[in-house]
Amino acid sequence: MIAFALRLAVSGGRQAVARLLTVAAAAAVGVGLLLSTLAAVNAVGATNERMLWANSGAKSRTESADVDPLWWRDRGPEFYDGKRLLYIEVAATGPTSPVPPGLAKLPAAGEYYASPALAELIRERPADQLADRFPGRLTGEIGDVALASPDSLVLIGGQDPAALAARPGARRITTIATWLPACQADCPATGTRGDAMTLILSVVAGALLFPVVIFIGTATRLSAATREQRYAAMRLVGATPRQITLIAAVESTLAAVAGTVLGFGLYLLLRPLVATVPFTGDRFFTEDLTLTVPQALAVLFGVPLAAAVAARLALRRVTVSPLGVSRRVTPRPPSAWRVAPLLAGLAELAWFVGRRPATTNGQTAAYLTGFLVVMLGLVVAGPWLTMAAARAVAARTGRPSTLIAVRRLADDPKAGFRSVAGLVLALFVTTATVAIIGTIDTNRGALSGDPQTRVAVEHGALAGDPPMAAAVPERVLAEVRAVPGYRGLAIAHADPDGLVRDQADPRDWMAPVLALCSDLAQVPVVGHCAPGAAVAAVAPYGFLDLRSQESVEWPSAPITAEAAARLPVQSLYVTTDGSTAAKERVRTILSQAFPDENTRTVQDWGSEQQRMLAGWRQLADVVLLTTLPIAGCSLAVSVVAGLSDRRRPFAMLRLTGAPLGLLRWVIALESALPLLVVAVIATGTGFGAAAMFLKSQMDYDLVPPGAVYFALVLLGLAVSLGIIASTLPLLKRITGPEAARNG
């Protein structure tokens, strides 16, 4: 029987072949996207594992081995042009000292290894912008096994053991970390927050797969009426219901198997493209985009099985009698209880407003569950909403075409909603994504800083930490002032005697620093002194704040300028013309002069969050550019399938005198009414879900999107209506007199 079903599936004419190809294409797209998403989730974990070695110097590590110790020191957060740079200093004490991955041997004193991306920058950029920060010479490149991304900036520099042992933060280790220790600030490379990315990618997977599943289901129902008549003929010659079910399942499974195989091929083609998408802020290595054996087997067997189940469910309303008569059972109208899952999903998200789970895993469970239940709820509630809208329109219209359309929708609202379900979900995902990303951008857009603050470079200790130096050598000040693009310089002095401690903001745990008014005059972005003052007490946020403090007048300090100038130096604040060359030259000079301190710019501070936002925007683009075309294809296939299945009733109506225009209006209304009604609800639900997520997770109030979003929504609805209209010319061709005779 299986062999017969296979032969029947491929010998049913052009319609059968077209249906098989459509189902196979839908399955291939779905499988390719699913596998790519799973591989991206796996790549996040692989990226973190690549960087475990960088945490070897964590204080909490207790692993030891009988080898020569290795001195290890993390230089702290380093940056180049807003990109984080991991700088590790090492010094071997003997021939058996452990070697980090990616290196053939440890660098000797005066040598260093760099990642390929950093090595390229060192070779391309002028030495006074980057290379001069690293003592010694570039000896080789770090292998990919020790890098999180092809774009990673990593440097391992060799030092003299005695000199490195005397540096703050240096530790002796005998093993290289292979697991993430229990650490906080002393772990320079804890990696990407895999659980958070899993949450994001899981939502993306759901957003991608729901329209694909609907597309597959829609394609499976192509030529349903023709197949039912064929099954009736088979029953007439003695086929049993079980055999009919087997034949239907084999037909759908055949297409799904072909689509699954093509989907694996599509995944292999997409891997290089997916690797370039900076989901985590950086690209993936292509080899990290892999699948586990259970994942591959689950998709390989799960998709064909799901197709077989869908085929079985498609026949549940059809009973083929032994006399060869197809009897379609009119479904019961959907009840109002179908709205319950939608309300439950919204209630779940609302419950967590003000009750955000403490752990990331808890947040993943809470928000992912809520969004998926809301998406499922839209699909479940769609038929009831369609029926309610159809009945409301029927009670207020007298036009024959409208009455026919709404009565058909009220009789079978599931079929009416099925054609637009993919677009409704795409609209929900689009709305929620745009609202969330837009609100985060608005609230965190300040991370890029004001134009006045983006030109500054600060080097030294944070307020509250020990001072970085007793004084700044005049040679260093002269070199900074000689940098092309230099604009001004201010020195922040420590307040060891607590002269202005009482002027601190009680909400700020850091004490103010002291600055000469003559220095503040050179960097007005920090603020200014009171008239006649010589020294100001500057709040810790005054230097390198994201926002300009130009209008702020700092209180005077009870100390003379001469006495303040002799106080220890907390940090230096230099303004430039804003060019990368000027800022990086200043950073290099100060890094050489004070190697134990860090240089900070607004671009550095905001880069991590901005890169994360950029990754989220990439995900949003992927969702929008994928779901909308798939949903449009689903709509077109569904409308064509509906026309094909109802060609005999429409042919009979034409024979009785119904004009072709009336029938076209009926088809248009049957698709447009559920689309427009549920689209409004999906849009409102998207805004509501986004608002509750933002308030619960980030304590942000929803910022409505701009006119561009609403224009795109209207354009999308117009395109959808255009897709519906593009199928209407088929009505004349398939509803001729021969369709009525041969039904």
Side-chain angles (χ1 to χ4, degrees):
M1 182 58 67
I2 294 179
F4 173 72
L6 291 173
R7 187 165 59 251
L8 192 64
V10 298
S11 61
R14 286 184 299 176
Q15 284 188 351
V17 174
R19 188 181 70 84
L20 290 175
L21 292 177
T22 303
V23 174
V29 172
V31 169
L33 293 175
L34 174 59
L35 295 178
S36 298
T37 304
L38 293 174
V41 173
N42 295 340
V44 172
T47 296
N48 289 339
E49 290 179 2
R50 285 175 176 269
M51 295 304 298
L52 290 175
W53 66 270
N55 302 306
S56 298
K59 295 178 181 179
S60 59
R61 293 190 66 240
T62 58
E63 297 88 350
S64 62
D66 188 17
V67 298
D68 296 321
L70 174 71
W71 281 104
W72 183 284
R73 179 176 182 263
D74 168 34
R75 282 284 297 265
E78 295 276 348
F79 290 87
Y80 176 80
D81 195 21
K83 182 72 181 296
R84 180 178 287 272
L85 190 160
L86 177 63
Y87 186 1
I88 303 293
E89 294 177 318
V90 296
T93 61
T96 62
S97 294
V99 179
L103 301 182
K105 63 177 183 177
L106 289 168
E111 299 178 344
Y112 61 83
Y113 290 87
S115 62
L118 180 57
E120 182 178 359
L121 286 174
I122 290 174
R123 288 189 288 264
E124 292 180 350
R125 300 295 188 270
D128 61 355
Q129 294 184 30
L130 182 60
D132 288 348
R133 301 180 205 173
F134 315 124
R137 61 185 179 85
L138 177 62
T139 303
E141 295 186 355
I142 301 172
D144 292 349
V145 69
L147 305 176
S149 164
D151 303 320
S152 295
L153 303 183
V154 181
L155 185 140
I156 302 177
Q159 300 290 332
D160 177 76
L164 186 56
R167 302 287 294 278
R171 295 190 67 239
R172 282 170 33 126
I173 65 171
T174 55
T175 61
I176 301 298
T178 56
W179 55 277
L180 183 63
C183 54
Q184 295 295 330
D186 62 340
C187 284
T190 52
T192 302
R193 291 179 57 190
D195 44 10
M197 281 306 304
T198 299
L199 167 62
I200 296 171
L201 290 171
S202 297
V203 173
V204 170
L208 293 175
L209 291 178
F210 265 77
V212 170
V213 169
I214 292 173
F215 185 22
I216 294 175
T218 301
T220 302
R221 292 180 174 87
L222 277 174
S223 304
T226 302
R227 284 183 289 140
E228 289 164 9
Q229 294 172 4
R230 186 174 62 192
Y231 297 153
M234 295 171 63
R235 285 284 283 134
L236 184 64
V237 297
T240 65
R242 183 175 181 179
Q243 291 173 326
I244 297 299
T245 301
L246 177 62
I247 292 173
V250 168
E251 286 184 344
S252 298
T253 304
L254 174 64
V257 168
T260 301
V261 174
L262 292 175
F264 273 86
L266 179 62
Y267 154 69
L268 294 176
L269 293 176
L270 289 176
R271 280 182 72 203
L273 178 62
V274 174
T276 64
V277 180
F279 294 122
T280 61
D282 287 313
R283 294 179 297 162
F284 289 127
F285 284 108
T286 303
E287 55 266 31
D288 286 344
L289 290 165
T290 58
L291 301 169
T292 65
V293 174
Q295 288 172 341
L297 292 178
V299 174
L300 185 61
F301 294 104
V303 172
L305 178 62
V309 172
R312 177 66 183 88
L313 294 177
L315 291 175
R316 71 187 186 279
R317 290 175 48 209
V318 179
T319 302
V320 182
S321 73
L323 296 178
V325 179
S326 291
R327 176 173 57 87
R328 181 172 295 276
V329 181
T330 300
R332 290 185 300 176
S335 66
W337 285 105
R338 281 181 165 267
V339 186
L342 177 60
L343 297 179
L346 294 174
E348 194 260 7
L349 291 174
W351 192 86
F352 284 105
V353 175
R355 302 183 181 90
R356 187 181 73 168
T359 65
T360 304
N361 287 337
Q363 295 166 19
T364 300
Y367 303 128
L368 176 60
T369 300
F371 273 95
L372 292 182
V373 171
V374 168
M375 293 172 70
L376 179 64
L378 284 172
V379 175
V380 174
W384 183 83
L385 296 172
T386 299
M387 181 189 69
R391 289 179 175 177
V393 173
R396 291 169 175 80
T397 186
R399 296 184 59 180
S401 58
T402 305
L403 281 173
I404 294 174
V406 296
R407 288 299 299 270
R408 287 179 60 85
L409 283 175
D411 178 65
D412 191 2
K414 292 181 183 179
F417 173 75
R418 188 183 301 127
S419 63
V420 300
L423 282 169
V424 168
L425 284 177
L427 187 58
F428 167 79
V429 172
T430 301
T431 301
T433 301
V434 170
I436 291 173
I437 298 298
T439 299
I440 294 175
D441 271 345
T442 300
N443 284 273
R444 294 187 180 178
L447 290 171
S448 60
D450 287 340
Q452 303 96 311
T453 63
R454 289 199 295 268
V455 304
V457 178
E458 185 191 35
H459 186 89
L462 295 174
D465 292 341
M468 76 169 184
V472 181
E474 285 297 328
R475 173 188 58 80
V476 174
L477 295 178
E479 289 181 2
V480 170
R481 294 187 177 110
V483 169
Y486 165 83
R487 292 291 182 268
L489 181 149
I491 300 176
H493 294 274
D495 180 24
D497 298 327
L499 298 175
V500 294
R501 191 170 300 160
D502 59 337
Q503 299 180 16
D505 189 330
R507 297 169 298 178
D508 200 328
W509 62 273
M510 294 187 294
V513 293
L514 302 176
L516 304 184
C517 292
S518 58
D519 283 356
L520 290 183
Q522 299 182 46
V523 289
V525 65
V526 175
H528 59 272
C529 294
V535 181
V538 181
Y541 58 80
F543 290 99
L544 200 62
D545 192 12
L546 297 174
R547 296 300 187 190
S548 171
Q549 305 295 319
E550 193 168 354
S551 62
V552 176
E553 181 177 287
W554 300 112
S556 301
I559 186 175
T560 65
E562 293 76 11
R566 292 192 295 269
L567 292 175
V569 175
Q570 196 72 26
S571 64
L572 278 77
Y573 188 84
V574 182
T575 56
T576 69
D577 60 2
S579 65
T580 298
K583 289 189 291 184
E584 296 306 326
R585 285 190 173 103
V586 170
R587 193 199 299 265
T588 299
I589 294 171
L590 298 179
S591 295
Q592 288 178 304
F594 306 100
D596 292 334
E597 303 297 339
N598 298 119
T599 309
R600 297 170 293 274
T601 69
V602 167
Q603 187 179 9
D604 298 340
W605 284 31
S607 63
E608 297 299 311
Q609 291 288 345
Q610 292 288 2
R611 287 166 59 209
M612 183 178 295
L613 289 177
W616 290 358
R617 295 187 198 102
Q618 286 276 4
L619 290 174
D621 292 342
V622 169
V623 171
L624 299 183
L625 294 176
T626 305
T627 57
L628 291 178
I630 292 175
C633 293
S634 178
L635 175 62
V637 171
S638 180
V639 174
V640 171
L643 285 173
S644 177
D645 290 345
R646 293 174 300 186
R647 58 181 177 175
R648 186 169 186 270
F650 284 144
M652 296 296 292
L653 286 173
R654 287 191 65 188
L655 288 178
T656 59
L660 190 61
L662 181 144
L663 299 182
R664 287 175 175 168
W665 188 246
V666 169
I667 294 295
L669 278 178
E670 285 185 4
S671 299
L673 181 62
L675 171 63
L676 298 177
V677 170
V678 186
V680 173
I681 296 174
T683 303
T685 302
F687 282 129
M692 289 183 283
F693 168 78
L694 290 166
K695 193 65 178 177
S696 173
Q697 176 70 1
M698 303 176 180
D699 199 25
Y700 292 162
D701 292 323
L702 177 69
V703 177
V708 174
Y709 159 78
F710 293 101
L712 289 175
V713 170
L714 293 176
L715 178 62
L717 292 176
V719 171
S720 301
L721 296 176
I723 292 174
I724 296 172
S726 68
T727 64
L728 297 182
L730 293 173
L731 188 63
K732 180 177 180 180
R733 191 173 65 186
I734 67 175
T735 58
E738 67 280 358
R741 290 196 305 268
N742 299 329

